[in-house]
Amino acid sequence: MQSTGPARRPDQHGEDGPDGRWTTYPGAPVDTRRQLLVKLMWTSVWAFYLLYPVQDLATGQHTTAGTVAGAALLVVFLAAYMSLVVIRNTRRIGSSRQYLPFALILGIAVGTSIGLGEAWLTLFTYTSVCAALVLPGRKALVGVGAVTAVFALIGFATGAEHTTLVAVGLPCLLAGFAMYGMQRLVATMRELREARTAVAHLAASEERLRLARDLHDLLGHSLSLIAIKSELAGRFMDAEKAAEARAQVADIEQVARQSLTDVREAVSGFRRPTLPVELAAARTALSASQIELDADPRLADERPDLGTEETGALAWALREAVTNVVRHGVGATRCTVHLDETWEDDGRYAVLEIVDNGPGPGKALPGNGLSGLRERLEQVGGRLDTGPANRGKGFRLRALVPLRPGPSGE
C-alpha cells in the first residue's frame, strides 16, 4: 500500500538546488561567491520595473544633459540596490552600512521623480522594499508607509495621472508589506532552527543526567555496603573469627560483581542510541565537515508507537548514514534527515530517510557498516534501502522499522 500522505523528497523543500551549492536558507548569510551570485541574479529579475524610466529616457523628450543625468542616476540606483543585497548577505560587512545605499536609493527616487517625470515614480517600489528590508522591527512598517506617503505627495505635486498613482502606489505599498512579512518569516525560521538545535542538546544532556543519577544510586548503595562489610570483616579478623570474616569477604565479592553488572547495564542503556542524541551528534559532525544539516523537527518528538529497539535501530541508521556522509561524501554541502510513515502490505512503518548531495554511491559494494546496519534493522522486522538520490545526485539511505499498533488495533 502507498503512504497515507504524499511523499516528500529533500529537493521539494525549496531550499536546495540540484547540487546544494547554489542556494541557502531564506535570509541566511551566504558562504560562497556562487551563492552570492545566485542571490544577485534572483534580485536582478525585479529590475524589469526599471523599463519605465529607460523607456522615458529613450523617447528623447528630455534635454541631452537630462538624459545623461537620468541614465547615470539610474545606474547608481541599481548599483546601490545591488550593494544592499551584498551588504545584507555578507557576514564580514557591518549591518550599519546598509543605511547609506538606502539613503542613496531614496534620494534618487525623490530627485528623479520630481525632475524627470512620473515614469520615475516606479523607483519608489524598490525604495519601499528597501525600507522594509533595512529598518528594524515595526519601524519597517512605518518606513513603508512613509515611503508610500512621499510617493503620493510627489505624484500629486507633479500632476501624475490617477491611473499611474494607483498602478504604482499599490505595488509600492504591498511590496513593502510583503517584504516585511518575509523578514518576519525568516526571523521565525531562524529561531526555529536554533530551538531545534537546543532541543537536541537538551536531549543529550538529559541522557547524561540519567546516567549520572543511575550510577550515583547504584554505586552509592553498593560502595556503602562494601564499606560496612569490609569493616565487619576486619573486626572478625581481629577477633580471630576466620569463618565469619570469610563470609563477609564472600559477600563483598558478590556485591562487587553485582555492582559491576548493574553499572554495565546502566552504561549499556546510556549507549543505546536515541534519535535526539544521534541528531545532536550528527549536527556536530556535519558542522565540523562544513556540511549543512536540514533535520525534520519530528525527530525530537517522543513516539509511543515506536518501540525502544526500533528507535535504537533508527538511531543507528542515522549514525551510520552521517558517518558515510562525512567519510565518503566528498564535495557534499548538505544533508537532509526526514522522518515519515508509510503503509505496506504487512503493516505500518516508520521511515527515516537521509539524503546528501555528494557524489553518490558509485559502483563500490556496500561496506561493513551498511551490512551491520541491515542486520540490525532485520532483527526488529525492518529493512534498509540505499541508492542514489533524485536525478542520480547524492546518496539516499532509507531505514524502515515497524510501528506498534494503535489502541484500536489498527
Side-chain angles (χ1 to χ4, degrees):
M1 297 177 63
Q2 299 295 328
S3 174
T4 55
R8 289 181 294 176
R9 300 191 301 271
D11 61 352
Q12 292 177 326
H13 288 280
E15 299 171 354
D16 200 0
D19 61 0
R21 302 177 186 177
W22 291 87
T23 55
T24 59
Y25 285 109
V30 297
D31 297 317
T32 65
R33 292 181 179 179
R34 287 182 175 182
Q35 293 174 349
L36 180 58
L37 178 61
V38 170
K39 288 218 170 188
L40 290 174
M41 291 173 61
W42 278 109
T43 304
S44 63
V45 172
W46 299 101
F48 70 87
Y49 274 112
L50 298 179
L51 290 176
Y52 296 102
V54 171
Q55 185 179 7
D56 179 67
L57 292 176
T59 57
Q61 60 180 338
H62 302 292
T63 63
T64 302
T67 302
V68 173
L73 289 174
L74 193 61
V75 172
V76 174
F77 182 89
L78 185 59
Y81 187 72
M82 291 300 181
S83 67
L84 187 59
V85 177
V86 174
I87 291 173
R88 288 189 57 82
N89 288 278
T90 305
R91 293 186 176 94
R92 294 184 295 272
I93 301 178
S95 59
S96 59
R97 297 187 180 182
Q98 62 187 346
Y99 292 105
L100 179 59
F102 172 64
L104 188 59
I105 289 171
L106 178 60
I108 293 176
V110 172
T112 55
S113 298
I114 295 175
L116 297 176
E118 66 180 58
W120 295 78
L121 290 171
T122 55
L123 299 186
F124 278 97
T125 302
Y126 297 90
T127 309
S128 177
V129 170
C130 292
L133 198 64
V134 170
L135 298 177
R138 295 188 179 276
K139 292 181 180 179
L141 293 177
V142 178
V144 171
V147 169
T148 306
V150 172
F151 157 80
L153 289 175
I154 294 177
F156 282 116
T158 56
E161 296 181 1
H162 287 48
T163 55
T164 302
L165 293 176
V166 174
V168 179
L170 195 58
C172 177
L173 183 64
L174 295 182
F177 286 161
M179 179 55 67
Y180 172 77
M182 176 61 71
Q183 292 302 301
R184 296 295 300 172
L185 178 61
V186 166
T188 303
M189 291 173 62
R190 188 181 299 114
E191 292 173 358
L192 179 59
R193 292 191 203 103
E194 293 174 355
R196 285 160 57 179
T197 302
V199 167
H201 286 300
L202 288 174
S205 300
E206 182 64 26
E207 194 71 5
R208 295 189 187 98
L209 290 174
R210 184 198 67 80
L211 176 63
R213 288 193 299 266
D214 291 349
L215 290 179
H216 176 272
D217 295 340
L218 291 172
L219 295 181
H221 173 75
S222 301
L223 292 177
S224 298
L225 187 58
I226 289 174
I228 294 173
K229 286 188 172 292
S230 299
E231 184 179 356
L232 287 176
R235 291 180 181 178
F236 285 139
M237 292 176 65
D238 293 339
E240 298 182 353
K241 296 181 179 179
E244 289 82 352
R246 191 176 294 109
Q248 294 299 323
V249 171
D251 290 343
I252 291 173
E253 180 183 1
Q254 181 180 1
V255 171
R257 290 183 182 276
Q258 183 61 42
S259 298
L260 181 59
T261 301
D262 294 339
V263 169
R264 284 175 177 172
E265 291 179 353
V267 173
S268 176
F270 173 73
R271 289 180 177 173
R272 179 183 297 128
T274 61
L275 286 174
V277 173
E278 287 304 318
L279 184 61
R283 196 180 301 277
T284 301
L286 293 173
S287 176
S289 301
Q290 297 183 346
I291 299 174
E292 187 177 356
L293 175 64
D294 182 15
D296 192 329
R298 289 177 293 182
L299 289 167
D301 298 339
E302 291 189 19
R303 296 290 301 267
D305 54 353
L306 196 59
T308 303
E309 297 298 327
E310 289 78 5
T311 302
L314 291 181
W316 280 110
L318 177 57
R319 179 187 296 184
E320 178 62 23
V322 171
T323 301
N324 285 339
V325 173
V326 173
R327 290 182 178 177
H328 308 300
V330 180
T333 59
R334 190 178 183 83
C335 179
T336 302
V337 181
H338 181 66
L339 181 64
D340 209 340
E341 297 180 11
T342 185
W343 281 91
E344 296 192 356
D345 295 337
D346 54 347
R348 191 164 57 105
Y349 286 80
V351 182
L352 180 68
E353 185 178 79
I354 303 98
V355 181
D356 68 80
N357 61 353
K363 297 182 179 180
L365 296 176
N368 294 328
L370 291 180
S371 300
L373 177 59
R374 194 181 305 275
E375 294 175 359
R376 287 180 184 273
L377 292 169
E378 289 175 354
Q379 289 176 357
V380 297
R383 74 169 190 272
L384 176 68
D385 296 329
T386 59
N390 296 325
R391 303 175 186 174
K393 297 287 187 178
F395 183 76
R396 181 194 301 274
L397 184 148
R398 296 178 77 247
L400 291 83
V401 295
L403 292 171
R404 295 176 178 176
S408 62
E410 297 179 356

